[in-house]
Amino acid sequence: MDSAQITTYLPLHPLEFRILLALAGGPNYGARIVRHVEEHELHGGKLYPANLFRRIRDLLERELLEECEGPEDADARRTYLRMTHLGEEVALAEAARLEALLGDARDLDLVRGR
Amino acid sequence: MSSQARRCYDLLLRLLPPEFRQRWAADMADVLEARLDGASGPLGRTAVWFRAILDVAVFALRERLVGSRRAASVANPSLPALAIQDFKYAARTLLRSPGFTLVAIATLAVGVGASTATYSVVYPVLLEAPPYPDAEQLVVIWPEANLNRTAVGMAQDDMASLSRVSGLSNWSLTLTGTGDPIEITATLVSPQHFELLGVSPLLGRTFVAEHEIPANAGVVVLSYDFWVRAFGADPDILGQVIDLAGADHERREIIGVMPLDFRPIDASTEVWVPLQGDPTLALEEDTSWYVNTRIGRLAPGVDLEQANAEIRAHAQAVRDRIPSIIDAETAQSATVAPLSQHRARGIGNALWVALGAVFMVLLIACANLANLLLARGEARHHELAVRAALGAGRGRIGRLVLAETLLLGAMGGGLGVATAFGLVELLVSQAPADFPAIADVAVSTPVLGAALGATLLATVLAGLAPVLKASRADAAAALAGAARGATGSQRARLGTALIGVQVGLAVVVTVGSGLMLRSLGELLAVNPGLDPQGVVAFRPSPPAGRYPDGIAMRAYYDRVTEQVASLPGVESVGAIHLLPGTTSNWSFPTYPEGVEIPEGTAVPSVNFRATRLGYFRTVRIPLLAGRLLKETDHADSELVVLVNSALANHFWPGEDPLGKELRIFSRTNDPARVVGVVGNVRQHRRDMDPLPEMYYPHAQVSWNQLTMSITARFDDDEPLRRAGELRQAVWAVDADVPISDMQELSEVLATSTRPTRFLALLLSGFASISLALGAFGVFGVTSYTVGRRKSEFGVRLALGSSRFGLGAAAMGRSLLPVAVGLAGGIAGAVAASRLLESVLYGVGATDLATLVGVTLLLGMVAIAATLVPAWRASRVDPVAVLNAD
């Protein structure tokens, strides 16, 4: 997929980007994604889970995520998820976009503690 | 997360689209569970529930309305998109009047939360069938008199209508030999008990007929909770032998564990042991006079009436054999009742009262909400007319107001659900331990639905009035203010009527609460007959075989009391085998000297206590005549007994009881001579008159392994600070004897007033809510009336009326419905409080002081609520008002 097509997915909603980050380490399931986002991104703050699962559903529909097999001892009720190749590219593009944005902010002395 | 909470959450998740639910429900439940586990206290868990409900409700609403985001078109907005717009607008409008919004949400939350929580506590006791298969066939035999094991067998033989009968007897036992001793509640039951209830054990087996024979009776079945608590849910527990100390040390093999969801007949039961006895004994010879409950299962196809006909014949048959057991009247009034009535015994009326009271709170909340919404609708009449004049269609205006009402309902309802969960937890934590069916208390989903439905209906109906008016409004007339007078007076009449209803209901609830509080005060003021302040009680329980005979056992207790007495600050030491205030009781048939037991009357059963030297001095039970126990009252000397004055007056009125003789169990046993009379003690409940009691010296009773509670009086207000020294003193005698139940005697006595405290707490909570809602109602209506009559006041001031007169007029108009409500409420309270009569102590159901007090209190609250609006009325600026018009 060329970069012009990928930019049609940008910007990502912050929560969608956080979900992709939570899956960067490999496949995982819903409740663990919630915990990961709360621990790493919200520093112990609390998400509204239904809202997060709606975002996951949207990401699945846009084929940035896909369902996959869980580990052998996985609970059958769980849906395991992983990033698709497209998802990885979009995540990379979103990270680059944010970095560029941050660079602009730095140039304008809007970032403290450089 | 409890299974009940899980079920509630599952129900909540049904709001979500099925596909979404199927995929994510398990994960969402996991998240909730982790949060509930991490929350601290009922408040924390309430907040978690509130967030969870909000999360699901908002998402479900969004999903249902919007479907897919891509479907909405901005150019031609679909109905769902319009609805979202309406709700956004409604949310902004509500945020602009935070006072109104908060009060409305709080009113809804209180109404839904309090009614659901109370119903949830009451439901398993009063309304739910007991949790056994074919529970409608289960019955209890009344009266619950003391009977023996043979009488249970006789009931089984005599009554073809009952397929099985089981006797029950509650005992306090001490588990020793597994670390610290544990005090446990045991129930002695007939071997067919579990089969009768239709339940199977989780592990192992339950009793069979042979366990009734004393040689085979060394077995025990554990409750699930006790198995977890005492044995860490050890899966290999079957076959282990434990030591249960009661009147004697008994080695019992664990043969079964009951499942988690099994509910004992008496909620506090932790283990079951077989009701044992020699099967060849005749009714007259059987001395097991401690069976106090009999339950049965109706044979297939038999109804209660048939069983009732048989029970009287059976009671008569027992009376024919031993006339002394059952008197003629009791035999004639014997009844077979549904088992559900056994659960609610003693507190059924109180719970119905609580249910009635909370229903009234719900009605008050609905009335208050309706009043709030009506007032708001009236205030917005002008604004809505402006919207209509600017071209907003009727439908659009109607939708706007309806969206606001629904949003209020959803938020108040959501908070109400969270409140219900929090309140149930609070009520369970405050309930007395023996409160029936406490383990089954959980938020009742149907009731939650009904309470939500009722309040939402009230919200929508009250919201609908301004909607209809707004859509019918003649814009021009409304803008000119001409419509205000007519609609305003209708609204004022309705508001006034609602105030009357609110105040009336508040009176009923507050009188109930006042009566319970007075009753509690009376109970606490009752002299228990002893002075528990400064006394610590504890029970050293020597393991089986350590002191094998009576001499060694008594010598052990002699040394323990000596050691404790030698501690600095100890004023005196004594011991008794059953502390006052505990629910255990020993009561034996007693034959007093010189008292003929007439034909047709039962042999009196008298409370029995074994005591040691120093007990009466330690707990300060006064000696009224004769002497206390002495060192010389030992096993080989003449048998002596102390009696309380209730016993002396009962058996020997007007005579000197000293020197008289008492025999227990049988008229042929050795007599004990009465050597002293002591004061009465209210052993179990303060609301019951003291019962006849006898105190035998520990040295002269025949139960060699009887364990004693030591009582020690300190010259210290907080004697428990000395617990460490007490333990050291006991262990100085024998370091291998475990000590249990170290507590202040005042704490032991306080447990007997917990049911009254619980009901008083519940009703006081309702009364406070009713008062607060009532005050809001009066305030709201008066403010509204004053606002509406502003121009009238302005004109009157301009024409020379005094400001004070205007304020008084404004107050008077609001206080009229209050007065009518008070009068109606008092009449209602007098009628309703008769229901409370059976749970009141020392105060009548129509107590004048309470009625007057409540009337004054509500009157003052109402006056206070009208003060600010009346002051506003008196501050009207006539020039400004006249210019505005």
Side-chain angles (χ1 to χ4, degrees), chain A residues 29-31 34 38 46-51 53-58 60-61 67 77-79 81, chain B residues 6 9 16-17 20 22-24 26-28 30-31 35 51 54-56 59 62-63 67 69-70:
Chain A
Y29 63 88
V34 172
E38 285 178 349
K46 295 282 180 266
L47 281 171
Y48 285 97
N51 191 33
F53 291 123
R54 174 171 72 86
R55 294 285 172 187
I56 292 182
R57 182 190 61 187
D58 292 351
L60 282 165
E61 280 174 9
E67 289 185 15
R77 298 171 307 154
R78 310 265 176 232
T79 307
L81 302 163
Chain B
R6 177 69 210 233
Y9 194 55
L16 302 174
F20 188 90
Q22 226 160 16
R23 211 169 200 171
W24 305 115
D27 284 299
M28 291 182 69
D30 274 5
V31 172
R35 288 182 181 173
R51 263 185 86 94
L54 196 67
D55 177 38
V56 174
F59 176 66
R62 186 191 176 283
E63 284 294 298
R69 189 197 306 176
R70 286 176 290 280

Side-chain angles (χ1 to χ4, degrees), chain B residues 133-340:
Chain B
D134 300 321
E136 68 287 349
Q137 295 175 347
L138 294 173
V139 293
V140 59
I141 299 175
W142 279 342
E144 295 185 316
N146 267 15
L147 286 168
N148 62 14
R149 198 189 48 81
T150 312
V152 177
M154 259 182 88
Q156 173 86 72
D157 297 341
D158 288 354
M159 298 180 65
S161 56
L162 297 182
S163 63
R164 286 191 176 80
V165 178
S166 170
L168 288 91
S169 175
N170 290 335
W171 288 63
S172 284
L173 300 178
T174 311
L175 172 70
T176 59
T178 57
D180 283 340
I182 305 174
E183 292 285 324
I184 52 179
T185 310
T187 303
L188 275 61
V189 294
S190 305
Q192 61 273 24
H193 181 77
F194 297 98
E195 216 174 313
L196 181 160
L197 293 177
V199 291
S200 309
L202 173 73
L203 297 178
R205 58 205 167 98
T206 55
F207 306 131
V208 290
E210 66 181 43
H211 290 137
E212 202 166 11
I213 299 163
N216 304 327
V219 289
V220 59
V221 171
L222 311 183
S223 75
Y224 186 92
D225 285 346
F226 186 66
W227 174 52
V228 173
R229 180 163 75 97
F231 302 101
D234 177 3
D236 300 322
I237 193 74
L238 298 181
Q240 283 192 31
V241 175
I242 55 175
D243 184 351
L244 291 175
D248 214 337
H249 274 286
E250 283 160 355
R251 312 270 304 157
R252 291 184 180 274
E253 180 191 342
I254 299 170
I255 60 164
V257 176
M258 295 309 289
L260 174 63
D261 58 359
F262 172 62
R263 301 284 173 254
I265 298 292
D266 283 292
S268 52
T269 305
E270 294 170 296
V271 304
W272 293 265
V273 295
L275 192 57
Q276 65 187 57
D278 181 351
T280 61
L281 284 181
L283 180 69
E284 298 81 353
E285 300 161 338
D286 187 346
T287 56
S288 61
W289 292 111
Y290 38 73
V291 178
N292 40 29
T293 304
R294 286 180 298 171
I295 61 169
R297 184 177 277 281
L298 294 174
V302 172
D303 60 21
L304 270 181
E305 270 184 40
Q306 288 167 268
N308 266 318
E310 282 187 5
I311 186 67
R312 281 187 275 280
H314 158 73
Q316 188 58 44
V318 174
R319 200 178 114 66
D320 289 345
R321 294 274 294 277
I322 315 185
S324 58
I325 293 188
I326 303 181
D327 59 41
E329 195 186 330
T330 310
Q332 283 313 303
S333 63
T335 325
V336 170
L339 186 62
S340 52

Side-chain angles (χ1 to χ4, degrees), chain B residues 57-106:
Chain B
V58 169
F59 176 66
L61 194 68
R62 186 191 176 283
E63 284 294 298
R64 304 267 174 196
L65 290 175
V66 180
S68 161
R69 189 197 306 176
R70 286 176 290 280
S73 151
V74 178
N76 186 14
S78 63
L79 198 62
L82 270 179
I84 290 271
Q85 222 175 29
D86 287 346
F87 276 108
K88 277 185 178 167
Y89 176 79
R92 279 202 299 273
T93 318
L94 288 177
L95 281 175
R96 274 205 298 274
S97 22
F100 161 79
T101 309
L102 279 178
V103 171
I105 290 177

